[in-house]
Amino acid sequence: MLHETAEIAFTEIKRYLEPRLVESLSLRRVTAPMYLPTDSPLLDGRYPGAIIRLPGANQTVEIVGSLDVWLRGQLSRYDIAPGFGVYTIMNALRPELPCNRVSSPHVAAWSWQQAVDTSDLTEKRLVAMAKTLHKLITDTEKQILALFPHMSPTLDKELRIAYETRLADLYPDHGEDRMLYEYLHPKRGGGDSESPRSPVLLLVRDSAPLKVYGEIWVWNRILGKPVRIADLAAWNGDRVAAPSIGGNIFRGPLALQILQQDCLL
């Protein structure tokens, strides 16, 4: 697909996916910050961002690397009831990420948090949300294929569940990247090598300090490697907010997969 056509198709992805994400998870939109004060409790310490000085405001701030914690703060701010949530379009900066065909320090995503009862902070609830996301993503691909019929489907209809510990047992001599490669490769652990659809995996990882944490990975046939298209986590209640489940659908990798590109747009 030509770059100009891919940009048009990416617009269609955004137009189709966003309202359906809102509807399926009962979300309301909030406006995202680009930065927060360096002492803000709403900064996500897992992803420290670049620190800059704003002379005009006499303030030192940190560029956001994630909005998970900030969005949880908005659940409290708006007194969101369990079963409902908030979302935003995140534009974050993660300086440690390489700039290549599948990665960039600029991380753009649909990011959300949904308030839940403590009893719902379970792997079962996380898997259910992952299945909702998987259906949403595959439905989005169907919409794009209807608009661009010369393209072919890339995403398997089944979301497989695996555990980080299971991969470590299967491939004890491999690092993390190679374990995912071996497990998702269609000719190895990923199933039917003749199928035009790529295996899709929810990888459940060691979650500390989170209650449960998972990532959605897909085998990308154009690049011949796994690509992470989403993550999600269950958060214990704390001083920021009550218990919640939320995550991110990464816009660049999702477009890379569905539009069958060989690099991020």
Side-chain angles (χ1 to χ4, degrees), residues 72-196:
R72 297 189 66 243
Q74 306 316 297
L75 294 176
S76 291
R77 177 184 179 187
Y78 294 109
D79 195 23
I80 302 294
F84 299 87
V86 293
Y87 86 102
T88 195
I89 307 302
M90 179 180 74
N91 282 287
L93 185 64
R94 297 183 185 174
E96 77 283 359
L97 293 181
C99 189
N100 54 40
R101 291 191 295 174
V102 298
S103 175
S104 170
H106 171 223
V107 180
W110 288 279
S111 303
W112 74 92
Q113 289 290 322
Q114 184 187 71
V116 297
D117 293 321
T118 303
S119 60
D120 284 326
L121 292 177
T122 63
E123 182 182 307
K124 181 179 179 180
R125 180 64 180 267
L126 189 88
V127 169
M129 182 177 281
K131 289 181 177 179
T132 297
L133 297 183
H134 177 243
K135 184 179 187 307
L136 175 61
I137 290 167
T138 54
D139 286 348
T140 300
E141 183 176 61
K142 290 178 185 177
Q143 175 69 10
I144 295 302
L145 294 178
L147 295 173
F148 301 93
H150 65 284
M151 298 173 60
S152 58
T154 72
L155 298 168
D156 196 273
K157 296 178 181 179
E158 179 186 357
L159 177 68
R160 299 165 55 198
I161 313 299
Y163 297 86
E164 190 173 33
T165 51
R166 171 61 174 160
L167 267 62
D169 290 340
L170 287 173
Y171 312 107
D173 298 326
H174 294 324
E176 178 181 300
D177 291 346
R178 187 68 188 185
M179 286 192 298
L180 279 166
Y181 178 90
E182 293 290 336
Y183 193 80
L184 277 171
H185 195 297
K187 293 184 179 180
R188 293 180 170 85
D192 183 5
S193 63
E194 302 302 320
S195 172

Side-chain angles (χ1 to χ4, degrees), residues 118 121-123 205 207-213 233-236 244:
T118 303
L121 292 177
T122 63
E123 182 182 307
R205 294 187 180 272
S207 57
L210 303 172
K211 186 74 173 179
V212 191
Y213 174 73
W235 295 75
N236 292 299
S244 68

